[in-house]
Amino acid sequence: MSDSVSNTTFSDRNSSKSSLINPTLVLNCGSSSIKYALISEDESTRITGLAENLGLDTARIKHTTLNGEKLEITIPGGRHELALQKILALLEQYHFIAVGHRVVHGGREYSKAVRVDAHVLEEVKRLKILAPLHNPANALGIEAVQALYPDIPQVVVFDTAFHQTMPPVAYRYPIPKALYEDEKIRRYGFHGTSHAYVSERASELTDATGPHGWLTAHLGNGCSATAIYDGKSMDTSMGLTPLEGLMMGTRSGDVDPGLHIHLKRLLGLSLEEINDMLNNDSGLLGISGLSNDLRTIEQAANEGHKDAQLAIEMFCYRAGKYLASLSCALPEFTGIVFTGGIGENSSTTRARILEVMRHFGIKFTADNNTSLYGGGEGSFHDDDSSIELWVIPTDEECQIAKETRQTLGLS
């Protein structure tokens, strides 16, 4: 470890460790990154960090200490294993009592968070067939903790678990029954911890009497929308994989299923090449030809770039169309909750999406909408709006820590 790491760690030792009471470590291992947080029992205090660009020369860990100091550790070429070792070394002094892992796919076996055992770990690995970029990384996180802290209990919180309350009419595909029964081909949904957190938070904030019916729009590089009634997912936009549904940063969202065979016949592309194109070269990037970052595209659109303008229009139209259709799943429609990097920060995107839903009687004031950004939480609907409108910053780490403690009987 470099001198700067040692100095900052020493500074951490002299900060108020007492405020980190019985902390839970949350690990979110992505395909090339690890997001982590150490969260106190009362959820009021946390240490956070991000390992990014793993496997590349620019791999690094950005760590924020308990007293707010920023630390950067360079690990050129470092992969998940090395990054996890460094992260655990930074945090070991705080004596975390449990570890909660975000796992993308839990298949249909898991409808809630579960404590890690040998069977659970094997299932996480087996389900890489449905989440090849994420589940293997999730398994690495579990194994890294097991190797260093074999006695600390671990829990996996599945992205898909929250959506296991969907009825068959929502989760079944209209394909031969044997594919569902034998191969478990069905819609699973994702971003479950985010949708669970913001819908629960909205129900705490609203003055409306329950039960509540929310449409939650998680809009970022990955995007999904969910219909939630009385705390339960009734339908969602993502399906068997995270490719289905809304237009995203680099993912296409819904396309004609016949596109695959058409491109194979027309261009001789393999299924793997088509899948790669739809996941990595489509969405905002594919339409704009510029970037998957909406901020870059908005700047180009304001300067007259036609493809950038179309990318924004398509993104908002498809989001509005999906939200409108998901309202069919709600017995009562209380309101819409926007979250995620775009949902929390782009007031123009929120306004354009709501314009698509012009027949719903939704009313809001532009100034109230634009005031919500950069972590701001609040509503922006008018008093005479047919439904409520909320911006609620997502906190998946807090949700994972909460479900971890509940699973282990610690809260």
Side-chain angles (χ1 to χ4, degrees):
M1 241 179 226
S2 67
D3 289 340
S4 62
V5 176
S6 299
N7 289 339
T8 306
T9 304
F10 178 79
S11 174
D12 239 6
R13 289 193 186 101
N14 286 286
S15 59
S16 177
K17 286 196 288 186
S18 61
S19 59
L20 267 178
I21 300 170
N22 296 328
T24 299
L25 173 60
V26 174
L27 290 176
N28 181 352
C29 296
S31 56
S32 60
S33 66
I34 302 170
K35 191 176 182 182
Y36 62 93
L38 191 65
I39 302 176
S40 64
E41 187 175 57
D42 63 0
E43 300 175 1
S44 65
T45 309
R46 68 181 70 185
I47 294 170
T48 61
L50 173 70
E52 60 184 359
N53 304 327
L54 298 180
L56 304 176
D57 291 340
T58 53
R60 60 183 178 175
I61 298 171
K62 297 194 293 187
H63 180 83
T64 302
T65 68
L66 187 58
N67 58 11
E69 290 185 47
K70 304 292 185 181
L71 163 68
E72 183 171 308
I73 307 168
T74 57
I75 48 172
R79 299 186 180 276
H80 287 77
E81 295 90 342
L82 176 61
L84 284 162
Q85 289 172 13
K86 297 286 189 183
I87 291 166
L88 292 171
L90 283 167
L91 301 175
E92 63 180 348
Q93 62 183 291
Y94 295 102
H95 307 296
F96 45 89
I97 63 170
V99 182
H101 298 265
R102 178 206 178 199
V103 175
V104 166
H105 220 303
R108 67 178 183 183
E109 178 176 346
Y110 298 108
S111 59
K112 60 182 179 180
V114 293
R115 182 167 180 164
V116 173
D117 59 21
H119 171 70
V120 170
L121 179 55
E122 283 307 307
E123 280 296 290
V124 170
K125 292 179 178 179
R126 185 183 68 81
L127 287 165
K128 71 180 182 181
I129 191 171
L130 294 176
L133 295 179
H134 294 91
N135 270 43
N138 302 152
L140 283 175
I142 295 169
E143 291 175 327
V145 175
Q146 281 182 338
L148 292 172
Y149 303 99
D151 296 327
I152 289 183
Q154 300 189 72
V155 170
V156 288
V157 180
F158 299 98
D159 264 15
T160 50
F162 179 64
H163 301 295
Q164 289 296 301
T165 54
M166 289 192 296
V169 68
Y171 70 69
R172 286 285 295 273
Y173 285 116
I175 57 176
K177 183 178 180 181
L179 289 174
Y180 167 70
E181 293 186 335
D182 300 338
E183 307 300 336
K184 302 178 177 60
I185 305 300
R186 52 159 286 179
R187 304 181 68 251
Y188 289 97
F190 299 89
H191 292 146
T193 51
S194 177
H195 291 295
Y197 176 82
V198 299
S199 61
E200 183 177 333
R201 180 66 179 150
S203 288
E204 292 171 354
L205 293 170
T206 183
D207 292 328
T209 56
H212 304 121
W214 300 109
L215 295 181
T216 53
H218 179 109
L219 307 177
N221 189 48
C223 301
S224 65
T226 298
I228 301 166
Y229 182 70
D230 198 18
K232 298 179 177 63
S233 174
M234 306 303 292
D235 199 356
T236 192
S237 58
M238 286 180 168
L240 175 71
T241 75
L243 184 58
E244 185 181 347
L246 306 181
M247 178 175 167
M248 309 179 214
T250 63
R251 290 176 231 164
S252 64
D254 289 350
V255 295
D256 185 341
L259 178 64
H260 293 72
I261 190 67
H262 179 71
L263 290 177
K264 181 179 185 299
R265 290 168 176 164
L266 185 69
L267 301 175
L269 297 178
S270 67
L271 286 176
E272 288 74 19
E273 288 171 325
I274 297 166
N275 184 66
D276 185 65
M277 177 195 73
L278 294 176
N279 274 287
N280 302 314
D281 301 319
S282 301
L284 288 169
L285 173 62
I287 298 300
S288 71
L290 298 172
S291 174
N292 65 321
D293 191 321
L294 186 66
R295 293 166 296 186
T296 301
I297 297 171
E298 284 181 331
Q299 182 178 343
N302 291 335
E303 294 169 355
H305 193 289
K306 297 298 183 184
D307 288 337
Q309 293 170 355
L310 177 60
I312 293 170
E313 289 170 7
M314 286 179 63
F315 181 89
C316 295
Y317 172 71
R318 291 166 73 99
K321 183 172 72 168
Y322 237 110
L323 287 168
S325 67
L326 283 170
S327 70
C328 298
L330 296 175
E332 299 288 340
F333 189 2
T334 308
I336 300 173
V337 183
F338 292 94
T339 192
I342 295 172
E344 294 168 25
N345 295 294
S346 179
S347 60
T348 56
T349 299
R350 294 194 296 261
R352 282 186 168 126
I353 290 170
L354 295 172
E355 286 169 9
V356 173
M357 304 177 70
R358 55 192 173 276
H359 304 301
F360 280 71
I362 300 169
K363 296 181 181 180
F364 64 94
T365 304
D367 287 347
N368 292 340
N369 181 26
T370 55
S371 70
L372 292 166
Y373 64 92
E377 177 185 82
S379 62
F380 63 99
H381 54 276
D382 291 346
D383 290 342
D384 59 344
S385 177
S386 62
I387 60 168
E388 299 181 10
L389 303 172
W390 290 87
V391 174
I392 298 178
T394 192
D395 193 343
E396 294 174 273
E397 288 73 31
C398 180
Q399 183 71 19
I400 291 169
K402 178 180 175 180
E403 292 189 33
T404 296
R405 292 193 302 273
Q406 289 173 343
T407 300
L408 297 173
L410 298 174
S411 62

PDB file of all heavy atoms in Angstrom, residues 31-48:
ATOM      1  N   SER A  31     -19.416  -6.165 -13.812  1.00  0.00           N
ATOM      2  CA  SER A  31     -18.530  -6.836 -14.755  1.00  0.00           C
ATOM      3  C   SER A  31     -17.133  -6.242 -14.759  1.00  0.00           C
ATOM      4  O   SER A  31     -16.148  -6.950 -14.981  1.00  0.00           O
ATOM      5  CB  SER A  31     -19.115  -6.774 -16.166  1.00  0.00           C
ATOM      6  OG  SER A  31     -19.362  -5.427 -16.545  1.00  0.00           O
ATOM      7  N   SER A  32     -17.000  -4.930 -14.480  1.00  0.00           N
ATOM      8  CA  SER A  32     -15.674  -4.304 -14.456  1.00  0.00           C
ATOM      9  C   SER A  32     -15.537  -3.330 -13.291  1.00  0.00           C
ATOM     10  O   SER A  32     -14.661  -2.468 -13.302  1.00  0.00           O
ATOM     11  CB  SER A  32     -15.416  -3.555 -15.773  1.00  0.00           C
ATOM     12  OG  SER A  32     -16.382  -2.535 -15.967  1.00  0.00           O
ATOM     13  N   SER A  33     -16.410  -3.459 -12.306  1.00  0.00           N
ATOM     14  CA  SER A  33     -16.374  -2.532 -11.179  1.00  0.00           C
ATOM     15  C   SER A  33     -16.895  -3.213  -9.916  1.00  0.00           C
ATOM     16  O   SER A  33     -17.541  -4.255  -9.973  1.00  0.00           O
ATOM     17  CB  SER A  33     -17.235  -1.295 -11.479  1.00  0.00           C
ATOM     18  OG  SER A  33     -18.602  -1.664 -11.579  1.00  0.00           O
ATOM     19  N   ILE A  34     -16.576  -2.611  -8.777  1.00  0.00           N
ATOM     20  CA  ILE A  34     -17.124  -3.050  -7.492  1.00  0.00           C
ATOM     21  C   ILE A  34     -17.533  -1.796  -6.723  1.00  0.00           C
ATOM     22  O   ILE A  34     -16.698  -0.956  -6.383  1.00  0.00           O
ATOM     23  CB  ILE A  34     -16.100  -3.838  -6.652  1.00  0.00           C
ATOM     24  CG1 ILE A  34     -15.587  -5.055  -7.410  1.00  0.00           C
ATOM     25  CG2 ILE A  34     -16.726  -4.267  -5.320  1.00  0.00           C
ATOM     26  CD1 ILE A  34     -14.407  -5.737  -6.727  1.00  0.00           C
ATOM     27  N   LYS A  35     -18.811  -1.669  -6.463  1.00  0.00           N
ATOM     28  CA  LYS A  35     -19.306  -0.589  -5.623  1.00  0.00           C
ATOM     29  C   LYS A  35     -19.493  -1.163  -4.220  1.00  0.00           C
ATOM     30  O   LYS A  35     -20.001  -2.274  -4.074  1.00  0.00           O
ATOM     31  CB  LYS A  35     -20.631  -0.067  -6.176  1.00  0.00           C
ATOM     32  CG  LYS A  35     -21.118   1.231  -5.550  1.00  0.00           C
ATOM     33  CD  LYS A  35     -22.387   1.701  -6.247  1.00  0.00           C
ATOM     34  CE  LYS A  35     -22.865   3.037  -5.673  1.00  0.00           C
ATOM     35  NZ  LYS A  35     -24.123   3.482  -6.316  1.00  0.00           N
ATOM     36  N   TYR A  36     -19.066  -0.440  -3.205  1.00  0.00           N
ATOM     37  CA  TYR A  36     -19.173  -0.980  -1.853  1.00  0.00           C
ATOM     38  C   TYR A  36     -19.569   0.108  -0.868  1.00  0.00           C
ATOM     39  O   TYR A  36     -19.387   1.310  -1.114  1.00  0.00           O
ATOM     40  CB  TYR A  36     -17.875  -1.650  -1.417  1.00  0.00           C
ATOM     41  CG  TYR A  36     -16.665  -0.738  -1.359  1.00  0.00           C
ATOM     42  CD1 TYR A  36     -16.307  -0.103  -0.176  1.00  0.00           C
ATOM     43  CD2 TYR A  36     -15.858  -0.548  -2.477  1.00  0.00           C
ATOM     44  CE1 TYR A  36     -15.183   0.719  -0.114  1.00  0.00           C
ATOM     45  CE2 TYR A  36     -14.739   0.268  -2.432  1.00  0.00           C
ATOM     46  CZ  TYR A  36     -14.408   0.903  -1.241  1.00  0.00           C
ATOM     47  OH  TYR A  36     -13.309   1.717  -1.180  1.00  0.00           O
ATOM     48  N   ALA A  37     -20.150  -0.328   0.241  1.00  0.00           N
ATOM     49  CA  ALA A  37     -20.528   0.587   1.314  1.00  0.00           C
ATOM     50  C   ALA A  37     -20.520  -0.163   2.630  1.00  0.00           C
ATOM     51  O   ALA A  37     -20.926  -1.329   2.702  1.00  0.00           O
ATOM     52  CB  ALA A  37     -21.915   1.176   1.056  1.00  0.00           C
ATOM     53  N   LEU A  38     -20.028   0.484   3.665  1.00  0.00           N
ATOM     54  CA  LEU A  38     -20.079  -0.043   5.028  1.00  0.00           C
ATOM     55  C   LEU A  38     -21.078   0.825   5.776  1.00  0.00           C
ATOM     56  O   LEU A  38     -20.858   2.026   5.953  1.00  0.00           O
ATOM     57  CB  LEU A  38     -18.697   0.021   5.676  1.00  0.00           C
ATOM     58  CG  LEU A  38     -18.533  -0.736   7.000  1.00  0.00           C
ATOM     59  CD1 LEU A  38     -18.701  -2.239   6.773  1.00  0.00           C
ATOM     60  CD2 LEU A  38     -17.179  -0.441   7.623  1.00  0.00           C
ATOM     61  N   ILE A  39     -22.203   0.232   6.186  1.00  0.00           N
ATOM     62  CA  ILE A  39     -23.344   1.006   6.676  1.00  0.00           C
ATOM     63  C   ILE A  39     -23.644   0.640   8.121  1.00  0.00           C
ATOM     64  O   ILE A  39     -23.765  -0.542   8.468  1.00  0.00           O
ATOM     65  CB  ILE A  39     -24.585   0.746   5.793  1.00  0.00           C
ATOM     66  CG1 ILE A  39     -24.266   1.117   4.333  1.00  0.00           C
ATOM     67  CG2 ILE A  39     -25.789   1.528   6.295  1.00  0.00           C
ATOM     68  CD1 ILE A  39     -25.377   0.806   3.360  1.00  0.00           C
ATOM     69  N   SER A  40     -23.779   1.660   8.963  1.00  0.00           N
ATOM     70  CA  SER A  40     -24.039   1.437  10.379  1.00  0.00           C
ATOM     71  C   SER A  40     -25.426   0.837  10.588  1.00  0.00           C
ATOM     72  O   SER A  40     -26.293   0.905   9.719  1.00  0.00           O
ATOM     73  CB  SER A  40     -23.917   2.749  11.163  1.00  0.00           C
ATOM     74  OG  SER A  40     -24.911   3.668  10.739  1.00  0.00           O
ATOM     75  N   GLU A  41     -25.610   0.283  11.766  1.00  0.00           N
ATOM     76  CA  GLU A  41     -26.853  -0.406  12.102  1.00  0.00           C
ATOM     77  C   GLU A  41     -28.074   0.496  11.944  1.00  0.00           C
ATOM     78  O   GLU A  41     -29.134   0.062  11.501  1.00  0.00           O
ATOM     79  CB  GLU A  41     -26.760  -0.904  13.542  1.00  0.00           C
ATOM     80  CG  GLU A  41     -27.883  -1.790  14.006  1.00  0.00           C
ATOM     81  CD  GLU A  41     -27.615  -2.317  15.413  1.00  0.00           C
ATOM     82  OE1 GLU A  41     -27.422  -1.492  16.335  1.00  0.00           O
ATOM     83  OE2 GLU A  41     -27.584  -3.546  15.586  1.00  0.00           O
ATOM     84  N   ASP A  42     -27.925   1.791  12.312  1.00  0.00           N
ATOM     85  CA  ASP A  42     -29.056   2.715  12.212  1.00  0.00           C
ATOM     86  C   ASP A  42     -29.123   3.399  10.849  1.00  0.00           C
ATOM     87  O   ASP A  42     -29.955   4.290  10.637  1.00  0.00           O
ATOM     88  CB  ASP A  42     -29.004   3.765  13.320  1.00  0.00           C
ATOM     89  CG  ASP A  42     -27.769   4.660  13.223  1.00  0.00           C
ATOM     90  OD1 ASP A  42     -26.943   4.477  12.290  1.00  0.00           O
ATOM     91  OD2 ASP A  42     -27.623   5.546  14.080  1.00  0.00           O
ATOM     92  N   GLU A  43     -28.251   3.017   9.907  1.00  0.00           N
ATOM     93  CA  GLU A  43     -28.235   3.489   8.523  1.00  0.00           C
ATOM     94  C   GLU A  43     -27.877   4.970   8.393  1.00  0.00           C
ATOM     95  O   GLU A  43     -27.992   5.549   7.315  1.00  0.00           O
ATOM     96  CB  GLU A  43     -29.580   3.230   7.831  1.00  0.00           C
ATOM     97  CG  GLU A  43     -29.952   1.751   7.793  1.00  0.00           C
ATOM     98  CD  GLU A  43     -31.332   1.496   7.232  1.00  0.00           C
ATOM     99  OE1 GLU A  43     -32.020   2.473   6.850  1.00  0.00           O
ATOM    100  OE2 GLU A  43     -31.749   0.317   7.165  1.00  0.00           O
ATOM    101  N   SER A  44     -27.394   5.586   9.480  1.00  0.00           N
ATOM    102  CA  SER A  44     -27.115   7.023   9.440  1.00  0.00           C
ATOM    103  C   SER A  44     -25.687   7.336   9.011  1.00  0.00           C
ATOM    104  O   SER A  44     -25.392   8.469   8.632  1.00  0.00           O
ATOM    105  CB  SER A  44     -27.374   7.641  10.816  1.00  0.00           C
ATOM    106  OG  SER A  44     -26.461   7.120  11.776  1.00  0.00           O
ATOM    107  N   THR A  45     -24.800   6.355   9.081  1.00  0.00           N
ATOM    108  CA  THR A  45     -23.377   6.589   8.805  1.00  0.00           C
ATOM    109  C   THR A  45     -22.860   5.510   7.870  1.00  0.00           C
ATOM    110  O   THR A  45     -23.237   4.340   8.000  1.00  0.00           O
ATOM    111  CB  THR A  45     -22.557   6.558  10.109  1.00  0.00           C
ATOM    112  OG1 THR A  45     -23.172   7.432  11.057  1.00  0.00           O
ATOM    113  CG2 THR A  45     -21.124   7.007   9.874  1.00  0.00           C
ATOM    114  N   ARG A  46     -21.992   5.923   6.947  1.00  0.00           N
ATOM    115  CA  ARG A  46     -21.441   4.925   6.038  1.00  0.00           C
ATOM    116  C   ARG A  46     -20.087   5.351   5.481  1.00  0.00           C
ATOM    117  O   ARG A  46     -19.764   6.541   5.425  1.00  0.00           O
ATOM    118  CB  ARG A  46     -22.411   4.639   4.897  1.00  0.00           C
ATOM    119  CG  ARG A  46     -22.638   5.770   3.910  1.00  0.00           C
ATOM    120  CD  ARG A  46     -23.648   5.381   2.834  1.00  0.00           C
ATOM    121  NE  ARG A  46     -25.001   5.261   3.357  1.00  0.00           N
ATOM    122  CZ  ARG A  46     -26.040   4.842   2.640  1.00  0.00           C
ATOM    123  NH1 ARG A  46     -25.879   4.491   1.379  1.00  0.00           N
ATOM    124  NH2 ARG A  46     -27.245   4.770   3.155  1.00  0.00           N
ATOM    125  N   ILE A  47     -19.330   4.360   5.081  1.00  0.00           N
ATOM    126  CA  ILE A  47     -18.101   4.529   4.305  1.00  0.00           C
ATOM    127  C   ILE A  47     -18.409   3.971   2.927  1.00  0.00           C
ATOM    128  O   ILE A  47     -19.043   2.921   2.801  1.00  0.00           O
ATOM    129  CB  ILE A  47     -16.927   3.756   4.946  1.00  0.00           C
ATOM    130  CG1 ILE A  47     -16.581   4.358   6.309  1.00  0.00           C
ATOM    131  CG2 ILE A  47     -15.707   3.750   4.040  1.00  0.00           C
ATOM    132  CD1 ILE A  47     -15.592   3.504   7.102  1.00  0.00           C
ATOM    133  N   THR A  48     -17.983   4.660   1.881  1.00  0.00           N
ATOM    134  CA  THR A  48     -18.317   4.215   0.529  1.00  0.00           C
ATOM    135  C   THR A  48     -17.089   4.173  -0.359  1.00  0.00           C
ATOM    136  O   THR A  48     -16.049   4.758  -0.044  1.00  0.00           O
ATOM    137  CB  THR A  48     -19.353   5.151  -0.119  1.00  0.00           C
ATOM    138  OG1 THR A  48     -18.791   6.478  -0.206  1.00  0.00           O
ATOM    139  CG2 THR A  48     -20.636   5.194   0.686  1.00  0.00           C
TER     140      THR A  48
END
